[in-house]
Amino acid sequence: MITLQDWELNKEKWLDQDLSLMQSDEGWRERTQKNGINIWQRSFPDDKNDLFRWRIPKIKAAHSEVHDVFVNKMIDYHHYWTAEYTGGFLVKELEENVQIIYQQFNPGIPFISKRDLLYIQWSRKIDETTWQTSFKSIILDEMPVPKDFKRIDWWGGHLFEANKDGSSQLVLIDRENQGGSFPATFMNMVMPQYLIKQFESIINFFKNGGVNTHEKLSDSKNSALKLK
């Protein structure tokens, strides 16, 4: 996990690193594929949890709309593609296109603790047809880990690219250290199938109308709001 000072010193370098990882196949190995969507995997020496990547070549929404959902409306609609998600909120907005977000997850599996996630996300417009967002777990004294939770250490990013027909492409990179005693070997084994379910749900979310036809997570079901 990083501090705000780490982010200030490295934010541009990390954006460039993530963009390269999302655009280049160097260092990646293909793990699996479904319906023309490949999932790649690669390891890094700093963590036994591997980094994964997929690209959805066609989403039935403009890239600006998809970017808006993932950056500004994630806490409202995340439950449509991540079943374990139970709530979240915006902790603070540091500047335009830079936010700190808090989320909670309940795996619903006996003897597996609930998880939470505190991360900084920052975006940049690369050109008229491309937006990029990066994410990293962050440490804030005012947001300690709640009782009975384990905090995820997350590194991720999205690339939002316009297609000429008005649809868009979406790339994800995702590395998750679940914390506690959750083994990295098991995480590396199950991630591809987990990501397949995610990208299928994301495709269907936008295919079926996106935010215009889906309900926001209600405050009464948002488990994180009691911390706000």
Side-chain angles (χ1 to χ4, degrees):
M1 298 185 187
I2 65 168
T3 65
L4 275 174
Q5 184 179 19
D6 295 331
W7 177 77
E8 287 285 358
L9 293 172
N10 296 283
K11 56 187 177 182
E12 295 301 326
K13 180 183 71 175
W14 286 338
L15 280 171
D16 291 340
Q17 177 190 38
D18 289 352
L19 182 61
S20 177
L21 287 166
M22 288 188 282
Q23 290 183 323
S24 172
D25 290 337
E26 183 179 354
W28 292 97
R29 64 181 178 89
E30 185 178 325
R31 174 71 181 271
T32 189
Q33 70 88 29
K34 184 175 182 182
N35 296 332
I37 299 176
N38 297 337
I39 293 178
W40 292 271
Q41 182 175 354
R42 63 180 295 165
S43 61
F44 287 87
D46 65 325
D47 196 322
K48 292 182 180 180
N49 292 273
D50 288 347
L51 181 68
F52 290 84
R53 181 185 72 174
W54 49 239
R55 175 188 291 272
I56 302 175
K58 189 166 186 175
I59 291 179
K60 291 190 174 180
H63 77 296
S64 55
E65 177 184 346
V66 180
H67 174 263
D68 181 54
V69 169
F70 276 85
V71 171
N72 301 313
K73 298 170 182 168
M74 174 71 86
I75 59 176
D76 295 323
Y77 297 99
H78 195 180
H79 57 294
Y80 284 104
W81 54 87
T82 300
E84 300 84 8
Y85 174 72
T86 61
F89 58 86
L90 172 67
V91 176
K92 60 177 68 176
E93 187 163 13
L94 301 181
E95 56 190 77
E96 187 177 11
N97 296 318
V98 182
Q99 300 89 18
I100 295 178
I101 305 291
Y102 177 76
Q103 296 188 30
Q104 291 185 346
F105 306 87
N106 185 355
I109 300 173
F111 310 112
I112 301 295
S113 300
K114 296 177 182 178
R115 259 59 182 177
D116 74 346
L117 179 63
L118 180 68
Y119 64 97
I120 187 168
Q121 65 177 22
W122 67 111
S123 299
R124 66 180 176 185
K125 184 178 181 179
I126 295 175
D127 55 39
E128 292 302 318
T129 62
T130 311
W131 272 89
Q132 177 195 353
T133 301
S134 287
F135 322 89
K136 283 188 182 291
S137 288
I138 195 165
I139 299 168
L140 289 180
D141 291 340
E142 62 265 38
M143 291 294 297
V145 182
K147 183 181 178 183
D148 300 325
F149 277 77
K150 301 294 183 182
R151 182 152 291 176
I152 300 168
D153 188 354
W154 187 38
W155 163 21
H158 284 117
L159 195 62
F160 309 88
E161 302 170 277
N163 291 328
K164 291 182 178 180
D165 64 358
S167 65
S168 62
Q169 300 186 39
L170 176 63
V171 182
L172 165 79
I173 55 172
D174 186 0
R175 185 176 77 178
E176 302 179 18
N177 186 327
Q178 292 286 319
S181 57
F182 200 98
T185 52
F186 182 70
M187 192 70 182
N188 293 338
M189 181 176 67
V190 303
M191 274 292 281
Q193 293 305 312
Y194 180 79
L195 292 174
I196 285 172
K197 290 182 180 179
Q198 274 204 324
F199 75 60
E200 289 177 334
S201 297
I202 290 167
I203 290 170
N204 288 329
F205 176 82
F206 288 102
K207 179 181 178 181
N208 294 325
V211 299
N212 294 322
T213 56
H214 293 81
E215 295 291 330
K216 294 181 179 180
L217 182 70
S218 66
D219 287 352
S220 63
K221 293 182 178 180
N222 191 329
S223 64
L225 292 183
K226 61 185 177 183
L227 298 179
K228 197 169 182 181

